[in-house]
Amino acid sequence: MFEVIEKSGSDWRVAPNLRDYDALCRSFDWSSERQSLAGLPGGGLNIAHEAVSRHVAEGHGARIALRHVGRDGAVSSVSFAMLDEAASRFANILESLDVRQGEAVFSLTGRVQAFYSAALGTLKRGAVFCPLFSAFGPEPIRARLEIGRGACLVTTRTLFQRKVAQILDSLPTLRTVLLIDGTAEDERERIRSLPRLMEAASGHYRTAATSREDRALMHFTSGTTGRPKGAVLVHDAVVAQAATARYALDLHRDDVFWCTADPGWVTGMSYGVIAPLVSGATSIVDEMEFDADRWYSIIESQKVSVWYTAPTAIRMLMKVGAEIAHKYDLGSLRFLASVGEPLNPEAVVWSKQTFGRPFHDNWWQTETGGIMIANFAALPVKPGSMGKPLPGIEAAIIERTAQGIRVIGEPDVEGELALKAGWPSMFRGYLGEDERYRKCFADGWYLTGDLARRDRDGYYWFVGRSDDVIKTAGHLVGPFEVESALMEHPAVAEAAVIGKPDEVAGNSIKAFVSLKAGCKPGAELERDLMAHARRRLGPAVAPREIAFRDNLPKTRSGKIMRRLLRARELGLPEGDISTLESDERT
Ligand code: AMP
């Protein structure tokens, strides 16, 4: 057991936004949080207005919204006024392309400035923004653009050539691809150069008069079975994103905030774009991927005060050792938070020793649209715990019953984590899948699919998933999507995919395959299957390991038992797997 990390008043150079957790829980209501936002002139709510235009209208346009660190380390600053203007140009482009309110604009890019103008411009236009993970291969990209009926895609020339050109013909709804680094020579049917259009577009745009419940964002996530799910968030989500930035991330207007998440996932959007901009803070945007020296030098040179990252990255920092951290002056750091996977208690203790401050773990998921459970600045940190529910969020540990659910009142009992439905950033549907959405709720509770327990002090502890989805390096991967790609290979009869514990990535993806008659297992076929999976799915989603089996274990109804394969892989007692099967979420 790790010691609880108590924080003394002198540890705070800035008074935390949330000083008395219990008092705020008692007095909290979402409508007063909503009142801290500006709202659209004439009524309505629009995320882009709250994120940028509001600051400009209030005379803060010259403040720095983004500090972008390029591949070569060169830093460029973007003010709120510049970002607002770029977003307006993008909104005008969408209008000229006849992309209408409610239609979907997708992005497939890394952390480049155009991503921010595209996201905010789409919201200004009243269209729905859907970022994709740029490490996806062509198949996951195609499936998501098809399900989301993408009307427009913003990407780079390289990503287009490598991943999109080959699927374009199968996507009839996709009317326009905007190339961030495109030139006149790239332009042809459906392909346009974004810089050329941006140059010609006006920098003024009257933000669409969206209402709180109008669709704003779509984030794809995965279940155990079936196709990826497009979780829909509405403009009202900004109320929760702003409140959680204030209370759970302790973000102040003068902070320099660094959220290291990839823009293709929900954290990259909710806390990489929306929350810090709404708070008026300055965000660091690093174009490169993880590198310990680079990260520490960014914290030092940019004077990062609030840092939001993920356990995989923290474990990588631990692996390279604290000595590297000690080469840098990291004294600007005031608040450290982590999300996305279980944060090992050792990592919290390590961070307290190395940075003088613990990482504050918090929990949420695509469907919740914002942080739901957190270790707060003013409360002691229990290493290994996800923390306490946000004021305004009612959480419980429940058990599913034939009639609905039973809330487990006693502490320290494992069950499914549930949240009382109705907070502003709660997803409003899975695109085109009403039944799947309905099944996520019972008796007014949203059932998260995560197993957890609550201790006597009200802290929540993550136990595991109740389904088979895999978290690898912080990315949620649906086994079905990987299995489907493997099954396309002519030698494969059946496939089952599991998460295998990995010291750094949390889990790595392992596939079990049985072969068609006449096909022989062997190193060559393994290589061929790996190459096929990487080509179709992209390296972040493809299996790291493939094992051949004569048969895959199945239930009497013929469903492959991934959990049995996983139990065997871990050397766990197999137990009664047939009972495990019945509680599977989709
Ligand atoms: P995503 O929808 O991709 O953001 O993934 C959400 C899932 O990530 C959750 O349902 C959990 O399984 C996992 N997760 C998120 N935050 C944490 C955390 N702090 N500790 C453990 N697991 C987490």
Side-chain angles (χ1 to χ4, degrees), residues 497-554:
V497 166
I498 63 158
K500 178 178 167 177
D502 180 275
E503 216 181 290
V504 175
N507 288 288
S508 70
I509 298 178
K510 176 164 183 176
F512 295 86
V513 294
S514 67
L515 299 177
K516 288 187 182 149
C519 299
K520 293 247 171 314
E524 199 181 323
L525 180 56
E526 190 182 330
R527 269 196 304 277
D528 195 47
L529 271 174
M530 291 275 205
H532 164 80
R534 288 173 77 88
R535 223 174 18 249
R536 297 292 285 158
L537 300 165
V541 184
R544 285 284 150 95
E545 209 182 315
I546 296 181
F548 296 103
R549 293 282 182 273
D550 291 340
N551 294 298
L552 297 178
K554 298 210 185 66

Side-chain angles (χ1 to χ4, degrees), residues 340-342 361-366 450 462 465 471 476:
E341 318 153 56
D361 189 19
N362 59 52
W363 178 97
W364 59 292
Q365 50 181 202
T366 304
D450 278 3
F462 182 78
R465 294 281 309 188
K471 261 278 158 123
L476 200 72

Side-chain angles (χ1 to χ4, degrees), residues 84-295:
D84 191 39
E85 190 192 315
S88 288
R89 285 179 196 270
F90 191 86
N92 276 311
I93 293 171
L94 292 181
E95 187 168 317
S96 71
L97 295 171
D98 199 26
V99 173
R100 290 177 294 272
Q101 187 161 344
E103 281 198 299
V105 175
F106 279 63
S107 71
L108 180 74
T109 91
R111 295 176 200 83
V112 292
Q113 286 181 33
F115 167 76
Y116 294 82
S117 26
L120 296 164
T122 300
L123 295 167
K124 273 196 173 202
R125 171 71 183 142
V128 178
F129 189 69
C130 179
L132 293 179
F133 184 35
S134 59
F136 276 151
E139 181 47 32
I141 295 170
R142 193 201 58 74
R144 286 158 177 77
L145 278 164
E146 185 182 86
I147 297 167
R149 301 180 65 79
C152 177
L153 170 71
V154 183
T155 189
T156 63
R157 289 169 85 193
T158 313
L159 288 169
F160 176 75
Q161 275 147 17
R162 276 209 254 128
K163 303 177 181 205
V164 183
Q166 57 191 285
I167 55 171
L168 199 54
D169 285 346
S170 64
L171 294 165
T173 64
L174 186 60
R175 302 195 294 273
T176 313
V177 177
L178 296 172
L179 296 180
I180 290 169
D181 47 356
T183 62
E185 286 79 68
D186 295 305
E187 298 211 345
R188 55 188 183 277
E189 201 201 339
R190 295 164 86 187
I191 317 292
R192 307 294 298 274
S193 150
L194 184 57
R196 274 166 56 88
L197 293 173
M198 287 290 272
E199 212 181 294
S202 153
H204 297 281
Y205 190 81
R206 192 190 165 92
T207 300
T210 45
S211 73
R212 272 156 52 174
E213 286 300 313
D214 280 334
R215 292 177 173 193
L217 300 157
M218 185 160 52
H219 291 289
F220 278 91
T221 182
S222 299
T224 301
T225 59
R227 308 184 77 195
K229 307 179 275 189
V232 175
L233 305 183
V234 296
H235 282 276
D236 209 34
V238 68
V239 177
Q241 289 156 347
T244 49
R246 189 174 317 127
Y247 302 128
L249 299 179
D250 196 35
L251 202 59
H252 293 63
R253 211 170 82 141
D254 290 329
D255 274 317
V256 177
F257 175 66
W258 189 15
C259 168
T260 63
D262 188 280
W265 300 99
V266 70
T267 309
M269 191 67 209
S270 296
Y271 296 97
V273 182
I274 300 170
L277 290 175
V278 175
S279 312
T282 297
S283 279
I284 300 299
V285 180
D286 180 20
E287 210 170 318
M288 295 292 275
E289 294 306 321
F290 175 86
D291 175 87
D293 263 310
R294 183 177 169 103
W295 276 30

Side-chain angles (χ1 to χ4, degrees), residues 351-374:
S351 118
K352 176 90 173 109
Q353 283 159 358
T354 310
F355 307 119
R357 276 143 224 286
F359 267 103
H360 295 72
D361 189 19
N362 59 52
W363 178 97
W364 59 292
Q365 50 181 202
T366 304
E367 287 86 345
T368 71
I371 299 168
M372 297 282 110
I373 294 182

